Structure formats: C-alpha cells, structure tokens
Amino acid sequence: GNMTFARALSFSNNVITVKALVRAGCANVVKLAEQFNLPGPIPAYPSLALGCIDVTLNEVAGAFNVFANGGVYVEPHYLKWVKNEWGTKILQHDVRHWRVLPSNISSQVTKVLGIGTERFISKMGQKGLLAESIGKTGTTNDSRTCWFAGATPTLTTVLYMGRDNNKPLGKDIYPVWTLFPIWLGMYKRLIKEPQNFVYDPTLKEVNIDWFSGQPVRYENEDTVKILV
C-alpha cells in the first residue's frame, strides 16, 4: 500500500526500496555507493537495493558514519598519532575525508534513521539513551547473518552475527532482538551526557502521517517528525 519513503526505510520495505532504486537509476546508485567507499565492482542491478555486495564491518562503519557526520565520509583508521617518550609526535595519520551528500539530504535521512532506534527501544521496554541515536538493521537470506549499524553524534558502531559455516542462525532470528540489545547496553555504558545531531539549518521539523505524507497537527501512532 501507499507509504512514505520514511516508513519504507524505517521498516526495511524491500518493494519500495527496489522501486526507488529503479526510479533513481541503477548507475546513479552505483556512483553514490562508490562515494561511500564501498568496495567494487558494484553491479548495476535492481537487487543492489537489497545489498548484494560483500562488505566488511569496517566498510559499513565508514559508510554509516556519513549520516552521523553531516554527509561527510571519514576513512576509518586505527591510529591518530604516535608520540615518543618526550611527547613529540613521530607519526601522524593523514585522515582522508570527502563530502558524499549535501547536508540537507543527509539531515533528512539521519532524522528518519532515528525513528527506528526509538521504536526498537520502545519495543524492549527500555529507557532511551542520553544522546540522540540512529540505527539500521540488516538480515541476509534465511537469517544466515544479522547486522546492526548504530550511531550517536560522537560514536558509530556496527555489529555482526553469523556462523562460521554460513548456516541459518535459526527461525525468526532478527537483529532487533539479537544485536540491538547488545548495542544498546554498550552505548548506555559509554554515553554519559546529552548529545544531539547537527541538522541543516535550512530545514524545519514537521509532523506527518507516514503513510500519506500529509502534515498533521496532532501526534498518534501513525505520525512521525521529519525534516523538510
């Protein structure tokens, strides 16, 4: 049925995702994926919308961090610098970074990604984090692997669960019940003060019905706040 892109992204609606990719053009999506520093070659097929390329945790963390970082990609690295016994830096890492998305587009996606983490926390009956957070789940065919990418304004983490023999993890195994609780427990220990994402100042927050996309005055279970 009819729904907004916000709901489709938040609930991982594959039909809407594939239709959006086809409308945008597979070649254009491949170019964008390359800007996120995802490994190639990336096939220009409709199945790309569902994640048909192999990636590492490191690569996913770098890509997802774009939305926590205002649309700018920062290459993941292990060391910032090395100092000698006198405190002099003898090695400095040259951090590679570049803009992937305009800040207004990145802000809109970030706002929607926050809807999912709020819903997951509510499902678990848990208290939320002090910091604003965003997240996205991922599951491969037959529940062979589970993924969860989550971020606050200062920390981005990706978790993976799978078996060495690539056999299914079991029936109805999903990241929201396996990896998200691990992520949430870790972040509750790490995040000690309020933090908020910086959104593009040209955008404003509006309340919409996330099936029709129409603005609404009163909030209910079918309304969400987005940026326009």
Side-chain angles (χ1 to χ4, degrees):
N2 292 332
M3 69 177 69
T4 59
F5 283 126
R7 182 175 174 84
L9 175 60
S10 185
F11 280 93
S12 302
N13 186 294
N14 291 341
V15 174
I16 301 297
T17 305
V18 174
K19 286 183 175 180
L21 179 141
V22 172
R23 177 176 288 188
C26 291
N28 291 326
V29 175
V30 168
K31 289 180 181 178
L32 184 59
E34 290 171 345
Q35 285 295 302
F36 278 84
N37 212 30
L38 295 177
I42 301 174
Y45 301 143
S47 58
L48 178 61
L50 308 183
C52 64
I53 60 174
D54 291 329
V55 290
T56 66
L57 286 165
N58 191 57
E59 290 160 346
V60 175
F64 193 77
N65 187 61
V66 169
F67 301 111
N69 197 38
V72 176
Y73 178 88
V74 178
E75 188 175 50
H77 50 282
Y78 292 104
L79 298 175
K80 284 187 176 182
W81 60 72
V82 176
K83 294 180 179 179
N84 62 17
E85 63 266 40
W86 297 286
T88 302
K89 292 179 182 177
I90 58 176
L91 183 148
Q92 176 95 30
H93 181 77
D94 184 17
V95 180
R96 296 175 62 224
H97 57 87
W98 57 83
R99 177 162 292 282
V100 177
L101 296 170
S103 61
N104 61 326
I105 300 298
S106 174
S107 294
Q108 289 178 314
V109 177
T110 300
K111 189 69 174 179
V112 172
L113 289 171
I115 298 171
T117 53
E118 289 181 5
R119 186 174 69 252
F120 299 156
I121 291 171
S122 177
K123 277 186 175 182
M124 295 176 59
Q126 297 261 354
K127 290 183 178 180
L129 297 171
L130 289 175
E132 193 174 2
S133 63
I134 59 176
K136 189 71 189 74
T137 60
T139 310
T140 53
N141 291 353
D142 302 319
S143 295
R144 284 188 169 85
T145 65
C146 290
W147 294 72
F148 183 78
T152 60
T154 57
L155 181 65
T156 298
T157 311
V158 180
L159 281 74
Y160 165 91
M161 178 182 290
R163 299 178 64 179
D164 291 343
N165 59 12
N166 200 35
K167 288 186 177 181
L169 294 167
K171 185 180 180 181
D172 299 327
I173 299 296
Y174 299 108
V176 66
W177 300 118
T178 55
L179 293 180
F180 181 71
I182 298 172
W183 180 90
L184 183 61
M186 177 175 65
Y187 270 59
K188 282 185 174 181
R189 289 175 175 269
L190 294 173
I191 305 301
K192 301 299 183 181
E193 58 185 26
Q195 301 170 9
N196 294 99
F197 292 109
V198 177
Y199 296 109
D200 190 293
T202 65
L203 300 173
K204 63 179 181 179
E205 190 178 78
V206 298
N207 207 43
I208 66 163
D209 180 297
W210 74 345
F211 288 97
S212 68
Q214 295 299 312
V216 293
R217 294 181 62 183
Y218 304 104
E219 295 183 30
N220 58 55
E221 60 183 10
D222 292 329
T223 64
V224 291
K225 286 183 171 62
I226 63 168
L227 296 174
V228 296

mmCIF file of all heavy atoms in Angstrom, residues 4 7 19 29 68 74 86 100 130 140-141 214 223 228:
data_model
loop_
_atom_site.group_PDB
_atom_site.id
_atom_site.type_symbol
_atom_site.label_atom_id
_atom_site.label_comp_id
_atom_site.label_asym_id
_atom_site.label_seq_id
_atom_site.Cartn_x
_atom_site.Cartn_y
_atom_site.Cartn_z
ATOM 1 N N THR A 4 5.188 6.501 2.909
ATOM 2 C CA THR A 4 6.264 7.444 2.635
ATOM 3 C C THR A 4 7.594 6.710 2.559
ATOM 4 O O THR A 4 7.731 5.573 3.032
ATOM 5 C CB THR A 4 6.339 8.491 3.756
ATOM 6 O OG1 THR A 4 6.571 7.817 4.995
ATOM 7 C CG2 THR A 4 5.058 9.298 3.834
ATOM 8 N N ARG A 7 8.764 5.748 6.108
ATOM 9 C CA ARG A 7 8.281 4.486 6.673
ATOM 10 C C ARG A 7 8.963 3.300 5.996
ATOM 11 O O ARG A 7 9.330 2.321 6.650
ATOM 12 C CB ARG A 7 6.763 4.374 6.520
ATOM 13 C CG ARG A 7 6.206 3.101 7.142
ATOM 14 C CD ARG A 7 4.685 3.045 7.103
ATOM 15 N NE ARG A 7 4.209 1.747 7.575
ATOM 16 C CZ ARG A 7 4.029 1.415 8.842
ATOM 17 N NH1 ARG A 7 4.284 2.298 9.795
ATOM 18 N NH2 ARG A 7 3.606 0.209 9.183
ATOM 19 N N LYS A 19 11.894 -0.187 -5.974
ATOM 20 C CA LYS A 19 11.241 0.781 -6.858
ATOM 21 C C LYS A 19 11.975 2.125 -6.842
ATOM 22 O O LYS A 19 12.125 2.777 -7.871
ATOM 23 C CB LYS A 19 9.785 0.966 -6.447
ATOM 24 C CG LYS A 19 8.873 -0.203 -6.812
ATOM 25 C CD LYS A 19 7.429 0.096 -6.440
ATOM 26 C CE LYS A 19 6.497 -1.018 -6.903
ATOM 27 N NZ LYS A 19 5.088 -0.741 -6.551
ATOM 28 N N VAL A 29 22.946 5.072 -8.505
ATOM 29 C CA VAL A 29 23.106 4.495 -7.169
ATOM 30 C C VAL A 29 24.498 3.894 -7.008
ATOM 31 O O VAL A 29 25.114 4.001 -5.949
ATOM 32 C CB VAL A 29 22.013 3.446 -6.896
ATOM 33 C CG1 VAL A 29 22.254 2.751 -5.562
ATOM 34 C CG2 VAL A 29 20.637 4.093 -6.912
ATOM 35 N N ALA A 68 25.866 10.211 10.478
ATOM 36 C CA ALA A 68 26.129 10.797 11.797
ATOM 37 C C ALA A 68 27.051 12.001 11.688
ATOM 38 O O ALA A 68 27.188 12.772 12.646
ATOM 39 C CB ALA A 68 26.763 9.756 12.721
ATOM 40 N N VAL A 74 34.464 9.894 6.420
ATOM 41 C CA VAL A 74 35.796 9.904 7.033
ATOM 42 C C VAL A 74 36.312 8.478 7.001
ATOM 43 O O VAL A 74 35.671 7.564 7.519
ATOM 44 C CB VAL A 74 35.761 10.418 8.480
ATOM 45 C CG1 VAL A 74 37.158 10.357 9.090
ATOM 46 C CG2 VAL A 74 35.209 11.830 8.542
ATOM 47 N N TRP A 86 59.292 11.825 24.733
ATOM 48 C CA TRP A 86 59.283 13.250 25.068
ATOM 49 C C TRP A 86 57.971 13.935 24.673
ATOM 50 O O TRP A 86 57.841 15.136 24.788
ATOM 51 C CB TRP A 86 60.452 13.954 24.381
ATOM 52 C CG TRP A 86 61.770 13.444 24.866
ATOM 53 C CD1 TRP A 86 62.372 13.691 26.062
ATOM 54 C CD2 TRP A 86 62.627 12.563 24.151
ATOM 55 N NE1 TRP A 86 63.567 13.021 26.147
ATOM 56 C CE2 TRP A 86 63.762 12.321 24.976
ATOM 57 C CE3 TRP A 86 62.596 11.960 22.900
ATOM 58 C CZ2 TRP A 86 64.809 11.495 24.595
ATOM 59 C CZ3 TRP A 86 63.630 11.140 22.514
ATOM 60 C CH2 TRP A 86 64.718 10.913 23.354
ATOM 61 N N VAL A 100 29.975 13.355 0.757
ATOM 62 C CA VAL A 100 29.213 12.395 -0.032
ATOM 63 C C VAL A 100 27.835 12.945 -0.377
ATOM 64 O O VAL A 100 27.368 12.839 -1.504
ATOM 65 C CB VAL A 100 29.059 11.058 0.732
ATOM 66 C CG1 VAL A 100 28.198 10.077 -0.058
ATOM 67 C CG2 VAL A 100 30.419 10.448 1.024
ATOM 68 N N LEU A 130 20.904 8.913 26.619
ATOM 69 C CA LEU A 130 21.029 10.349 26.840
ATOM 70 C C LEU A 130 21.245 11.077 25.526
ATOM 71 O O LEU A 130 20.814 12.213 25.349
ATOM 72 C CB LEU A 130 22.197 10.634 27.790
ATOM 73 C CG LEU A 130 22.008 10.238 29.257
ATOM 74 C CD1 LEU A 130 23.305 10.467 30.024
ATOM 75 C CD2 LEU A 130 20.876 11.034 29.881
ATOM 76 N N THR A 140 20.439 -11.239 6.206
ATOM 77 C CA THR A 140 20.624 -11.922 4.932
ATOM 78 C C THR A 140 19.625 -13.073 4.800
ATOM 79 O O THR A 140 18.920 -13.419 5.746
ATOM 80 C CB THR A 140 22.059 -12.461 4.789
ATOM 81 O OG1 THR A 140 22.364 -13.257 5.938
ATOM 82 C CG2 THR A 140 23.067 -11.334 4.697
ATOM 83 N N ASN A 141 19.563 -13.649 3.603
ATOM 84 C CA ASN A 141 18.604 -14.717 3.319
ATOM 85 C C ASN A 141 18.668 -15.842 4.347
ATOM 86 O O ASN A 141 19.757 -16.256 4.762
ATOM 87 C CB ASN A 141 18.854 -15.302 1.926
ATOM 88 C CG ASN A 141 18.506 -14.320 0.827
ATOM 89 O OD1 ASN A 141 17.958 -13.254 1.090
ATOM 90 N ND2 ASN A 141 18.830 -14.680 -0.402
ATOM 91 N N GLN A 214 1.061 13.454 4.478
ATOM 92 C CA GLN A 214 0.405 14.731 4.705
ATOM 93 C C GLN A 214 0.729 15.287 6.094
ATOM 94 O O GLN A 214 0.777 14.532 7.078
ATOM 95 C CB GLN A 214 -1.109 14.571 4.564
ATOM 96 C CG GLN A 214 -1.565 14.192 3.158
ATOM 97 C CD GLN A 214 -1.188 15.246 2.139
ATOM 98 O OE1 GLN A 214 -1.408 16.444 2.350
ATOM 99 N NE2 GLN A 214 -0.606 14.804 1.035
ATOM 100 N N THR A 223 2.021 8.887 13.077
ATOM 101 C CA THR A 223 2.678 10.140 12.745
ATOM 102 C C THR A 223 4.139 10.113 13.195
ATOM 103 O O THR A 223 4.480 9.479 14.193
ATOM 104 C CB THR A 223 1.964 11.337 13.392
ATOM 105 O OG1 THR A 223 2.053 11.240 14.819
ATOM 106 C CG2 THR A 223 0.508 11.405 12.976
ATOM 107 N N VAL A 228 11.948 18.935 6.508
ATOM 108 C CA VAL A 228 11.636 19.344 5.125
ATOM 109 C C VAL A 228 12.211 20.714 4.854
ATOM 110 O O VAL A 228 12.500 21.468 5.782
ATOM 111 C CB VAL A 228 10.109 19.353 4.861
ATOM 112 C CG1 VAL A 228 9.537 17.958 4.980
ATOM 113 C CG2 VAL A 228 9.399 20.313 5.791
#
